[in-house]
């Protein structure tokens, strides 16, 4: 994880491990990024992946890009400790077109929804991200993406408004700052 190594190669939560993607994650990743129920909500930059071979190519690209990304930017797998299954993915990247705002995004395999995994992993990644000299993270969600909006709030993010500046799509914008996480842990 680039400089994430300074806190160890992975983040561990009560039920999950947030770690780098590996080439042998293709089948698991396809159960997230190959499924319309997930990808229909993602931003246009990430289309639905057709099959395991294509997922393997996407994963290789992510794995190769990761060491060159300035922390806290990156992409990670979310693994469930109980059975070692990859149940989701997390990302932090600069939002286009201005590339000033850092976006946190989360995706879970549909059969893993409803357990609090995205918020648990997301909170851990946010805590780590705030050790990397940044002072805010954003999330964007389509107005009817109620699950994603619920997760943003559970992570401790606040609604800041609606915009179409990022993708020419109407998006709800959420933000978290280090002081918000301090309040949560109180
Ligand atoms: C967005 C997404 C990750 C949310 O999944 P999720 O499982 O609802 O997310 P959370 O981790 O926040 O879990 C909350 C749910 O788990 C339940 N839950 C169960 N145990 C829990 C626990 N220990 N802690 C917290 N929540 C728990 C909550 O009640 C809630 O369920 P409900 O909405 O039915 O009440 C998932 O719907 C998804 O992958 N969507 C497509 C991709 C996407 O839209 N991503 C966001 C934009 S990048």
């Amino acid at each position: 994880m680039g400089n994430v190594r300074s806190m160890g190669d992975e983040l561990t939560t009560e039920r999950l491990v947030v770690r780098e993607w590996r080439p042998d994650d293709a089948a698991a990743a396809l159960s997230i990024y190959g499924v319309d129920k997930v990808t229909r909500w993602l931003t246009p930059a990430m289309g639905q992946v057709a099959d395991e071979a294509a997922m393997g190519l996407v994963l290789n690209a992510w794995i190769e890009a990761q060491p060159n990304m300035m922390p806290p930017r990156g992409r990670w797998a979310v693994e469930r400790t109980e059975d070692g299954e990859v149940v989701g993915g997390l990302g932090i990247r600069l939002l286009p077109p201005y590339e000033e705002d850092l976006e946190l995004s989360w995706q879970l395999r549909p059969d893993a929804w409803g357990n609090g995994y995205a918020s648990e992993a997301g909170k851990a990644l946010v805590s780590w991200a705030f050790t990397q000299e940044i002072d805010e993270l954003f999330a964007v969600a389509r107005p009817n993406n109620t699950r994603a909006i619920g997760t943003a709030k559970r992570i401790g993010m606040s609604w800041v408004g609606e915009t179409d500046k990022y993708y020419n799509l109407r998006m709800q914008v959420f933000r978290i700052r280090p002081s918000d996480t301090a309040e949560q842990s109180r």
Side-chain angles (χ1 to χ4, degrees):
M1 278 194 192
N3 284 356
V4 176
R5 292 208 174 81
S6 63
M7 49 120 255
D9 276 329
E10 51 193 37
L11 299 168
T12 305
T13 69
E14 198 184 329
R15 298 175 293 171
L16 306 164
V17 176
V18 179
R19 62 153 172 85
E20 293 191 343
W21 286 101
R22 298 194 292 249
D24 65 355
D25 289 325
L30 190 67
S31 69
I32 308 164
Y33 301 105
V35 178
D36 175 66
K37 210 176 163 187
V38 175
T39 57
R40 60 192 294 212
W41 297 110
L42 303 185
T43 46
M46 179 84 199
Q48 188 173 344
V49 180
D51 54 32
E52 203 174 312
M55 191 71 241
L57 295 175
V58 171
L59 274 189
N60 281 345
W62 290 353
I63 293 165
E64 271 177 32
Q66 188 92 337
N68 304 317
M69 293 180 96
M70 172 93 86
R73 288 158 58 194
R75 283 190 167 275
W76 298 274
V78 178
E79 190 179 290
R80 184 164 53 199
T81 312
E82 189 183 31
D83 55 7
E85 294 252 346
V86 171
V87 292
L90 290 173
I92 297 181
R93 64 183 195 127
L94 288 167
L95 274 163
Y98 305 111
E99 306 213 324
E100 288 166 351
D101 300 331
L102 281 172
E103 176 197 26
L104 167 67
S105 67
W106 48 84
Q107 305 84 35
L108 288 181
R109 217 170 74 181
D111 68 356
W113 294 8
N115 294 293
Y117 294 150
S119 28
E120 184 172 319
K123 273 187 207 165
L125 192 63
V126 166
S127 298
W128 166 73
F130 286 148
T131 67
Q132 302 294 308
E133 294 179 10
I134 58 152
D135 54 15
E136 54 187 5
L137 279 173
F138 292 86
V140 295
R142 287 180 173 77
N144 56 343
N145 194 352
T146 46
R147 280 203 167 265
I149 289 169
T151 303
K153 290 178 179 161
R154 265 177 228 107
I155 286 175
M157 301 185 108
S158 308
W159 182 81
V160 287
E162 197 173 82
T163 186
D164 61 4
K165 77 173 178 177
Y166 297 124
Y167 299 101
N168 271 336
L169 286 171
R170 208 153 58 89
M171 292 285 204
Q172 300 288 313
V173 183
F174 293 82
R175 178 181 60 206
I176 188 163
R177 292 181 162 146
S179 54
D180 302 327
T181 57
E183 260 160 46
Q184 267 196 342
S185 59
R186 237 179 262 149

